[in-house]
Structures are given as C-alpha cells and as structure tokens.
Amino acid sequence: MATDSIAINVELAGGLEILFNNERKLNVELPATTANGSPPNINYLVGHLCDHHMKDSRRELFELQGTVRPGILVLINDADWELEGEGEYELKPKDQILFVSTLHGG
Amino acid sequence: MATDSIAINVELAGGLEILFNNERKLNVELPATTANGSPPNINYLVGHLCDHHMKDSRRELFELQGTVRPGILVLINDADWELEGEGEYELKPKDQILFVSTLHGG
Amino acid sequence: DETKPVKLDLDEFRRYGRQMIMTEVGLDGQLQLKRSKVLLIGAGGLGCPAAAYLAGAGIGTIGIIDHDIVEPSNLHRQIMHTVDRVGQPKVISIIESLKQINPYPKYIAHNYPLSPENAIETLEKYDLVLDCTDSPQTRYMISDACVLLGKPLVSASALRSDGQLVVLNDPPGEGPCYRCVFPRPPPAESVLSCGEGGVLGPVVGAMGVLMSTEALKVLLARADRKKRRKPAHLPATADEIKDADSKEEGTVEPRKFYMTIYAAFSDTPFKTIRMFGKRKTCQACSPVATITKESMKNGSLDYIAFCGGQASGRYPPL
Amino acid sequence: DETKPVKLDLDEFRRYGRQMIMTEVGLDGQLQLKRSKVLLIGAGGLGCPAAAYLAGAGIGTIGIIDHDIVEPSNLHRQIMHTVDRVGQPKVISIIESLKQINPYPKYIAHNYPLSPENAIETLEKYDLVLDCTDSPQTRYMISDACVLLGKPLVSASALRSDGQLVVLNDPPGEGPCYRCVFPRPPPAESVLSCGEGGVLGPVVGAMGVLMSTEALKVLLARADRKKRRKPAHLPATADEIKDADSKEEGTVEPRKFYMTIYAAFSDTPFKTIRMFGKRKTCQACSPVATITKESMKNGSLDYIAFCGGQASGRYPPL
Ligand SMILES: [Zn+2]
Ligand SMILES: [Zn+2]
C-alpha cells in the first residue's frame, strides 16, 4: 500500500519544536487521498501534526480555525506559503515544509 | 535541439566569483553528450567554465591538471563531491554545483 | 545633505583601509558610510554587537534609543556594557564603549522610551533604522514609522537558540514592511521575551552582527546608485532598469525578498527563505494604507491592543 | 579534573540566569561551562567576538595566544581592542576588555607565537580549541596538535565578504580533521590574508560569534554525556548507540558532518554543506597517520614548506 501514502519532510523552528518533544525534523507519512477525495493539503497536514505528532496539550499554540495560528510562517520548499497557495497547497512527495514561529526577543 | 543540452546551476563563493566578473550565480548549458560519447562530468564542467565563463586570464587559480585546483571545495547539491564520485560525477539537469575557495583569513 | 562634502583624514584611511580595499566599499563607499546617519532602537543583545560593528565601520552618525539601565543579567550577551556600568542608562554605557572602539562617529543618545507619539520625530533625522527591540508591539510601530518616513529598516530577533533577520521597506516603497510579512500579530500568550524564554548570548549576538552587515549593504548600495552603477551585490531596481543603458545582455529579474533564519542547535543551522513580498492590502505600505503620520502621532494607533495586550494609550505601559 | 566540584554563587546565578533557563543549558550545563578550559588561538577579528561571548557565557578558564600588538587598522573589526590600547600586546588588551564584561573566568595570556615546538604543551591544558588564526600553515598545525591531543577544534575563517565555519575532531577520533577536509593545501599564490584582500568587519565578526556558539554546543554536549542522556541537539555517537537502552524506536543515523559557509553580499547568504568526513588515508587522524607528537615537537614537520612557502625551520618566519 506504499503508493497510497506520500512521505514529506517537516521541520519545526523558532520554538515550535518544543511542542513536538524537541524534535526539529519529522518524517511524516500522509494518505495520498483524504476523506474528501483530494490530496492532502497544508491545512490537512496541520491537523495531522496536532493529532499524531504533537506532544503538548496546547493545540492552540499551533492550530487555529483549521490552519496555523497567526505568528507562524509556513515555508513550502523554502518559499513563503503565500507564494504557493497557502493552506490549500496540495502536498507532493518529498516536499519540505517548514513551520517557524516568529520571534520578538532581542 | 533543447534535448541535446542540459541546464545546471553553478554558484561561486569564497572569492572565486572575482574570476567570473563578480557573478556569483551562473546558468550553464552543457551538451547532453560530450566528445567521448558520455554525459558531461564535473571535470568537463571545470574546463567549460574556464573556456566560456571565466573573465580572468589566471586559469590556474581555478583549474589544475584537468580538474579544480587544491583549495577549492566542490559541492554537488550541497554535498562534498567526494560523496558523489568527485570529478567523474555525471551531471544531471538542474544540478546545483557550488565551487568554494577555502579561506584562511581571520 | 546627501551631497554634503565629507572627507577622510590620514588616521581614518589607516583605520578603514582593510574594508576600503574591497570592491564593494572603496573610497566612495567609505564616504557614503561617513555621510550616513543610522538609528539603533535598543541597546541590548542585538543592539550591542550591531552598534560595535557599525561604529567600527565608520558610520558618520550613530543614534541609539533605549530607556533601560544596565543590569547584571544583561552582561552575558550585551557585550558593550560592563560590570562597572551596572545601574547606568544603557545608552550612556554603550556610547562609552563605542567611543573606545572608534572616536570618529558622532554618537547621539536618546534616553527615553520610543512611543507612537515620538517615533516620527525621533526617526526622521536618520537614513536607516535597526530594530533591536524585543516585543511585537514596538516592531509594528517601528515598521509603520519607517514606512511613513521612507526609511529602510533592518529587523532581527532572537530567543533561546533561534534567530531571524529581515530587511524591510528596502528600497522604500518597493520592499515589504513588517505588516506585509506578519499581517496578523501572534496571540499574546505565545510571545516570550528573552527574560522569560531565555537566550544564548552568541545567538542574539550573531543576529546583531548580521544586522550590521545588512545595514552596511543598504548604505553601500546608495553609493553605487549615486554613481549610477549597478550595485555589485544587488539585482537592479525598477528605476535602475529604466535608467540603465540597455547594453547588458539578458533580462533583469524582479527583486526577490528573503528572510534568514537561524536555529543554533540544528545540524543545518541557517536557512534563507523566500518571502511573499509586498502585500496589496497592507495597512501601512499599500495604496490602500490607512496608517498616517497623524494617526500615529496623536496616539489613535494602539499597538498594545493590536497585539492582544491590555489596551493602553502609550507604549510601553508605565 | 572533570569531576572537580564547581558551584555558582548568587551573582553568577543572576548573571547567567537568561541562559540557564534554556533546556539545552540548565544548571548542569552552566557548571560544565565553568569547569571547561577553552583556548583561543588569535585575538584578532575572529578571536575578539568569540572571546567576548565565551567570557559572557561563563567559561571557567579562557586562554588566549597571540603575539601581535594592537594596530589602528585592527580596530574596525577587532572589537575588544580600543584606541587607548594601540601598541599594547593583543592578549593583554583583549583580557582587559573581557574582565570588564565578566570578571569570573580565569584568563590566561600566552603572549608568544604558536609554533610546532610549543603547540603540544600550549594546547594540552585545555579542553577545546578555537582556531582564530589567518594562514593555512597555522591551520594545519593547530589541527594536527588537536588530533594528537584528542581535543575538539572549532575552526573558522573570513576574507572580504565571505566566511567559513567547521567543527573538527569532534568527538575526538570520530569527526574529520582539517587535513581530512583539505588534504592538499592551496597554492601559495592563491592565499590572501585580510591585510591583502580586505575584510568587512561584521563578516569576520559573525564568524567569530558563530564559533563561540559551536564551542558552547561542544561543551554542553559533554554535560549531557555525563548524565548519559542524548544531547538535545545531537544524533547519538557510535558509543552512545552501544550504551543506550534500545527503548527508543527507530534507527539511529550515523552522524553527518557539515560546514557553514557565508557570502555576505549574496541574496542567499548562508549555506550548510555536507562534508565527506574522516579520510581513511589521513596523515594526521587515520590508522595510517604518520604525524606524531615527537615529529611535531622536534620541528621535522615543516608547515611552511607544506603550504608552498619558503622552507623554514619554524613558524612563523622571524
Ligand atoms: Zn506593508
Ligand atoms: Zn584527518
């Protein structure tokens, strides 16, 4: 059933790794099609990470209203997700998805 | 005749860009097969760069005995060329080849 | 006063020689640095190293605004302050150290808190601003003021082992502003300061040093523009493309905007990420912007409330 | 003396609090830093910022070796030296500044040139070495000495607007050495010093600060190893894999080795590149190595000649 899933690389930075047991890099397997028949998109990934990888109960520090909370940059293969369609971007095998919490300290 | 050439990206760093008219990034087109019938490899690329892109007469600051001179690191898609077969590595379309001169100042 | 004649004396030639022999600097670049006025907002973990290298490089006028005093817990990372100066205002302490590195620049101390009411008049005398502060509300305020005044802004931040760096509103009117990059502020409960989250000294130090490099790049590009030559390190701007002789072959790509992010404990610590760019609906920098100098000065913009804190007439809360 | 008890007084808790609250540091990590002895070779553009942040972080013993004196042309980038101290030995000048940042560490001045004859005895008292020098021959010599003594080595360099950073011989015996990375020296005519090629102050500054971060990472990993826990930021070493309970699911990847390269004027300035690793035929660190403490001490290794310079009995040429 290997063809029924796609493997992507997720990276967490800016402190978000704390929500994921200090893991900065995750190999994530997603179903090739989701319940609604389409490939998984970024918003699906966000929910999947909360359900299967997050080790912290404060889900609201990562997800809000079905997508990432404000103050988190999402990079699809090192480019801002707004260049790629934001939450609707459909994931391809080997995609590199980086979630970075913005920092304000100095 | 587009299928008869391959396009790769070359980057120059550590001062090597000076030999190339201060260009740090070059889009390089190579023939898909070279005179001896095989695809172009890194050593072929080194000669090609000297012949077609270098703007400095001091070829010996880049090439020595058919390959790069000592003191230049060659990175094939961000990994040391020794992990990939060194000068014999056969180039593929979209390969990222980085030449870095080692620095000693402090 | 962009055209005010400046020159270098023999001691300055000796002092700056090692950078003047670089093609990206040269005599023109060095004179441009001497002619430039740079404001650092914050004399802490970012501001200390940024100021040290800007002073070293020979910026003509260096202003620093901060209203904190030096505390023992600052010293592990704020390397322009000293044990002897604990208890002194940070702006006084840092300028003391900077003068010992380079007595040539004119140093201006602004020993008061930056607020929406005083931001415009504080920033308008400078050519370039460095945001070395530590809260979302000041970051939005500084960016808005820079947009209103047409000043480029170098912005960085650090927490724990992470850092971020971005150059905003550069060139003014073309590059994205802080609101373009972060249109919605983070929820207040997700924001940690260095005091709460901790920070490794050299992490914030590295970001501060990198800020000074970006500042020099912005200023040196001006020297190149004045000579109507393409900056060695930049793709052409829209205006330059119009101005330029069409001698050069090839097409000129539109400028891309990047952010540098650092994660010190990762085995691949640096990443350069490509930003979305200017936002058509930006409240500060787009044609439909609503933020004005007046709304800023009269205090009708409440940055604290915008960032989810308690509403307040001024920043910082007293 | 790895087990020598050290403790922190109240002022130290206050001073280091902002980094001690980080999970990667903690009380164990802070005590490990205090117990550590670090040698900086070179008090110039790299050594100044590296030393500043290591002093700030609370390293217990900081040694600095350099035989130069402070010159005006140093000041644009060597931020721990001052106008008042032009003409003084650099090691004296830098320690003066470091004490003002943090009086707690023990500072040791080595005011003489490092040579093959004295390298072993100079380095052997330290736990970790930072190569902040500026010539190929010293870089090979320092790496060889670190391999012979089993010391990790943080090595960086900078010229014009470029910088490079790599951690070598870490952990000792497992990580590659300088000869593994650069088995053949560059031709002498291709080597430029900062004096000849120039250097932008914050470029060498950034590399120096990043060196101090890597040094802290190496030392903090020791605190983790002592507690037999996997360092938060490192994949397991071969020994640790053997030692570890096999409770954790998944396989442990062998460690990869990286170099960080910086090109300040590029729009994508940082790259992390993966290195080849240890070389089976390395003259210094492989099973077939020929370099020994004796060959080093008795001067039979001629680093100048190896690097294509005029043959000479000692380094540096007098
Ligand atoms: Zn905007
Ligand atoms: Zn070796």
Side-chain angles (χ1 to χ4, degrees), chain D residues 147 175-181 278-279 282-286:
Chain D
V147 168
C177 78
Y178 194 76
R179 283 181 194 271
C180 292
V181 180
K278 225 168 145 73
R279 205 173 279 276
C282 179
Q283 289 301 297
C285 78
S286 75

Side-chain angles (χ1 to χ4, degrees), chain A residues 11 13-15 17-18 24-25 61 69-71 73 75 78-80 82-83 98 100-106, chain C residues 45-46 133-135 139 157-158 160 162 164 178 182 184-187 190 194 261 267-268 271 273-274 276 279:
Chain A
E11 205 166 337
E17 69 280 6
I18 294 168
R24 291 172 186 279
K25 294 181 185 183
L61 290 183
R69 69 155 168 84
L73 291 175
L75 285 303
D78 288 344
D80 192 322
E82 297 198 47
L83 294 163
L98 169 65
V100 198
S101 176
T102 60
L103 307 172
H104 307 93
Chain C
L46 293 166
T133 66
D134 62 0
S135 78
R139 291 183 180 276
S157 56
R160 283 183 290 245
D162 288 286
Q164 295 169 357
Y178 194 77
F182 306 112
R184 291 201 297 164
S190 74
C194 291
I261 65 175
D267 55 5
T268 55
K271 267 198 174 19
I273 59 184
R274 187 166 159 221
F276 178 67
R279 204 172 280 275

Side-chain angles (χ1 to χ4, degrees), chain D residues 5-77:
Chain D
V6 295
K7 51 185 186 170
L8 302 177
D9 68 26
L10 187 61
D11 182 66
E12 287 173 291
F13 270 103
R14 255 197 295 264
R15 177 181 277 274
Y16 306 126
R18 292 296 181 275
Q19 69 190 32
M20 287 176 68
I21 60 179
M22 291 177 58
T23 49
E24 293 91 345
V25 183
L27 178 59
D28 290 325
Q30 193 64 49
L31 293 174
Q32 179 65 42
L33 297 183
K34 186 167 182 179
R35 210 180 279 121
S36 296
K37 303 184 185 71
V38 175
L39 177 66
L40 293 108
I41 307 182
L46 294 167
C48 279
Y53 285 98
L54 289 175
I59 300 295
T61 302
I62 297 177
I64 302 167
I65 175 165
D66 199 312
H67 67 292
D68 277 343
I69 60 163
V70 179
E71 293 179 44
S73 67
N74 302 151
L75 296 172
H76 83 105
R77 66 190 189 282

Side-chain angles (χ1 to χ4, degrees), chain D residues 122-300:
Chain D
T122 301
L123 271 61
E124 69 188 350
K125 301 176 203 78
Y126 294 92
D127 302 313
L128 171 68
V129 176
L130 275 68
D131 183 345
C132 308
T133 66
D134 62 358
S135 77
Q137 49 268 38
T138 38
R139 291 184 180 276
Y140 283 102
M141 174 175 77
I142 290 165
S143 173
D144 290 350
C146 285
V147 168
L148 292 170
L149 293 164
K151 314 284 185 195
L153 171 62
V154 180
S155 185
S157 56
L159 189 67
R160 285 184 288 243
S161 58
D162 288 286
Q164 295 170 356
L165 168 69
V166 65
V167 182
L168 299 168
N169 199 36
D170 175 53
E174 251 186 87
C177 78
Y178 194 76
R179 283 181 194 271
C180 292
V181 180
F182 305 112
R184 290 200 298 163
E189 66 275 16
S190 75
V191 176
L192 285 179
S193 72
C194 290
E196 297 156 330
V199 68
L200 206 62
V203 169
V204 64
M207 302 320 293
V209 179
L210 294 175
M211 290 179 88
S212 64
T213 306
E214 295 306 317
L216 295 177
K217 284 163 68 179
V218 169
L219 297 172
L220 291 171
R222 292 189 178 196
D224 288 330
R225 273 199 289 276
K226 243 179 264 177
K227 294 178 65 186
R228 300 186 137 255
R229 79 176 179 202
K230 173 175 160 294
H233 60 285
L234 286 181
T237 63
D239 278 357
E240 286 159 2
I241 296 167
K242 263 183 268 169
D243 287 1
D245 300 342
S246 51
K247 275 175 208 155
E248 291 178 30
E249 76 259 37
T251 54
V252 183
E253 286 182 46
R255 190 183 293 190
K256 293 173 182 167
F257 299 97
Y258 295 93
M259 177 184 291
T260 297
I261 65 175
Y262 177 47
F265 284 103
S266 167
D267 54 6
T268 55
F270 281 98
K271 269 196 170 26
T272 306
I273 58 185
R274 187 163 161 225
M275 304 312 299
F276 179 66
K278 225 168 145 73
R279 205 173 279 276
K280 289 200 181 90
T281 56
C282 179
Q283 289 301 297
C285 78
S286 75
V288 299
T290 55
I291 294 168
T292 64
K293 286 188 193 177
E294 289 63 41
S295 67
M296 194 155 201
K297 278 188 191 166
N298 69 22
S300 64

